[in-house]
Amino acid sequence: MKNFDPAVATAQWLATLSPQETARAVAYTHGSHWLILWSFLVSALVAWIIVRTGLLVAIRSRIERRRRRPLMASFAVALVYSVMSWVLTLPWSIYESWYREKQYGLSSQALGGWLGEAAIGAAISVVVTALLLVAIYALIRRARKLWWAWASGVTAAFIVIGLVISPLVIEPIFNTYTPAPNGPVRDAVVALAKQTGTPSDKIFIYDGSKQSDRYTANVSGLFGTARVAMSDTMFKQNADLAEVRGVVGHEMGHYVHAHVLWMVGVLVLLSALAFWLTDRLYPLAHRLLRADRVGDIADPAGLPVLALVLAFLGVLATPVFATMTRTMEEDADQFSLVHANEPDGLAKALIKTAEYRAPSPSAVEEFLFYDHPSVENRVRRAMEWKATHSPGQPPRP
Ligand SMILES: [Zn+2]
């Protein structure tokens, strides 16, 4: 295209954000980086408190003394630990996930609604975590030296099962999913689905505005349960078809390129590494927490020690996770440009995500923390695409 400068066009898109909006996004994003550290300190404090109560040691000894049932001991300890840890962390969670989101105008959910959903989520996670921990402690006892490798396999199985059943069992608890209603939006999405090889019967809209005002869509599920779901925030104003195609084209990229399977593969390797490191770091954390009455890593009462090490490794892994997802997000953008060919539609949608992800971070900040490429980089790539490709004819049925 003649006389079209991608750099100028990118700057124009970014200028559609007011200086106040940009400043608020920067404050929110920088604050979110710091939250990683504060959250780790909170989990360290919680681990310390739980060790101090001596409750887990008491439960473990009681069950083991009466009847030697290590599986039951680890299950009971894991349940009690998960509940205690959730309750002790709750004030922080309320600040981090509810109050702060409201403060920045990103959510309008009432505290009661948020708490209800958080409690349901916690109940599910407490049971699943307890089952996973029973398996992990059994592996530590049996496969002593190589437990970390086996444990990563079991974790992968839990993740895959979770991904498969999530759209069927978990997501409907929190939101109502309905097939996208008939009309131009649905027609455009179905046409794009046929073109890209995405199942066109699996395009859903959910009431995401209940929890968050974020302009967002996602692909969830795995194998037969995979589906594209768009938050109703995308349809608050009159839907712009170019924008919908740009966004949905991106989500279809995740689906067609099987990003979730790549992610599972990386998670298996990372969890093996994390468990191996946990095995090595456990004695150090044990000393730091002064967990004198707790045994070695095979002792389920040492769960707070184990959790502390894993939380620490989680902080260190932030750039690894960020880079993994950022790479896939860039790939999905590219997919959208190739198949939907809506650089302006995509840019328009991307600008809206700048309210919770500051658009122009430094390269270092983007590398360390950004799980999506920065809006500036994404819009620039869209504009570079626009400069070298003629506008497509959106297929209109
Ligand atoms: Zn994406």
Side-chain angles (χ1 to χ4, degrees):
M1 210 186 285
K2 277 179 196 165
N3 303 325
F4 180 78
D5 182 344
V8 172
T10 305
Q12 279 166 350
W13 273 114
L14 289 174
T16 59
L17 293 163
S18 72
Q20 292 86 337
E21 285 170 322
T22 308
R24 197 167 67 158
V26 169
Y28 177 78
T29 308
H30 284 173
S32 300
H33 302 338
W34 283 105
L35 287 183
I36 298 170
L37 178 62
W38 307 142
S39 293
F40 169 69
L41 294 176
V42 168
S43 51
L45 179 66
V46 166
W48 184 81
I49 293 173
I50 296 179
V51 167
R52 288 280 82 76
T53 64
L55 193 61
L56 301 185
V57 173
I59 294 171
R60 183 257 290 142
S61 334
R62 204 152 217 256
I63 297 178
E64 286 190 341
R65 211 182 313 129
R66 286 199 179 164
R67 31 198 158 153
R68 314 180 148 271
R69 287 172 115 177
L71 284 185
M72 208 167 107
S74 56
F75 185 69
V77 168
L79 271 188
V80 172
Y81 164 79
S82 306
V83 172
M84 275 179 99
S85 149
W86 184 74
V87 171
L88 290 170
T89 313
L90 189 58
W92 170 254
S93 308
I94 292 174
Y95 166 73
E96 184 184 28
S97 308
W98 177 77
Y99 178 78
R100 185 165 179 267
E101 294 295 300
K102 268 196 117 84
Q103 207 184 8
Y104 280 94
L106 295 170
S107 167
S108 43
Q109 191 172 27
L111 181 59
W114 183 90
L115 272 175
E117 288 179 359
I120 296 169
I124 297 170
S125 122
V126 161
V127 174
V128 174
T129 309
L131 290 174
L132 178 61
L133 286 168
V134 168
I136 289 180
Y137 277 108
L139 289 167
I140 295 179
R141 281 194 307 274
R142 304 253 160 87
R144 223 43 235 253
K145 280 246 157 67
L146 279 176
W147 73 267
W148 52 272
W150 290 100
S152 90
V154 171
T155 307
F158 268 71
I159 294 174
V160 169
I161 294 169
L163 286 169
V164 170
I165 66 169
S166 176
L168 306 175
V169 184
I170 312 287
E171 291 174 9
I173 298 176
F174 299 100
N175 289 94
T176 307
Y177 289 77
T178 43
N182 287 327
V185 171
R186 192 192 136 80
D187 293 343
V189 172
V190 167
L192 193 57
K194 288 192 172 138
Q195 182 195 329
T196 57
T198 310
S200 55
D201 56 334
K202 295 201 172 155
I203 315 290
F204 287 83
I205 293 179
Y206 66 99
D207 54 348
S209 59
K210 189 169 78 169
Q211 289 102 350
S212 161
D213 300 331
R214 293 181 181 200
Y215 188 92
T216 183
N218 66 73
V219 189
S220 71
L222 193 59
F223 309 125
T225 68
R227 66 178 179 190
V228 171
M230 299 176 277
S231 173
D232 57 356
T233 50
M234 288 177 64
F235 302 90
K236 284 281 133 127
Q237 299 115 21
N238 273 338
D240 173 342
L241 282 187
E243 189 179 5
V244 169
R245 281 169 46 82
V247 171
V248 175
H250 169 102
E251 297 307 327
M252 287 171 181
H254 286 309
Y255 175 84
V256 174
H257 287 177
H259 285 159
V260 68
L261 288 179
W262 286 98
M263 203 181 71
V264 171
V266 175
L267 286 179
V268 174
L269 297 177
L270 284 179
S271 65
L273 179 64
F275 288 136
W276 182 79
L277 285 168
T278 304
D279 193 60
R280 297 297 180 281
L281 292 171
Y282 183 91
L284 175 65
H286 190 276
R287 277 198 299 279
L288 288 174
L289 283 175
R290 298 171 182 280
D292 306 331
R293 294 165 58 207
V294 169
D296 67 4
I297 196 163
D299 180 3
L303 202 39
V305 183
L306 200 82
L308 178 65
V309 177
L310 284 171
F312 174 70
L313 295 174
V315 173
L316 292 188
T318 306
V320 181
F321 283 119
T323 300
M324 171 180 75
T325 54
R326 197 170 60 240
T327 309
M328 292 175 184
E329 293 302 333
E330 192 175 332
D331 185 53
D333 279 353
Q334 184 64 21
F335 187 93
S336 168
L337 291 170
V338 170
H339 294 275
N341 191 15
E342 299 284 4
D344 286 315
L346 187 61
K348 186 176 169 190
L350 289 173
I351 287 294
K352 291 179 187 165
T353 69
E355 68 173 347
Y356 55 84
R357 207 179 280 129
S360 308
S362 72
V364 173
E365 190 187 348
E366 187 181 19
F367 172 77
L368 289 177
F369 299 113
Y370 271 56
D371 56 7
H372 286 61
S374 72
V375 167
E376 183 176 340
N377 285 337
R378 297 174 81 181
V379 170
R380 189 186 311 104
R381 271 180 222 120
M383 293 302 106
E384 280 163 1
W385 171 272
K386 184 180 171 180
T388 48
H389 295 82
S390 47
Q393 277 302 317
R396 296 266 158 74

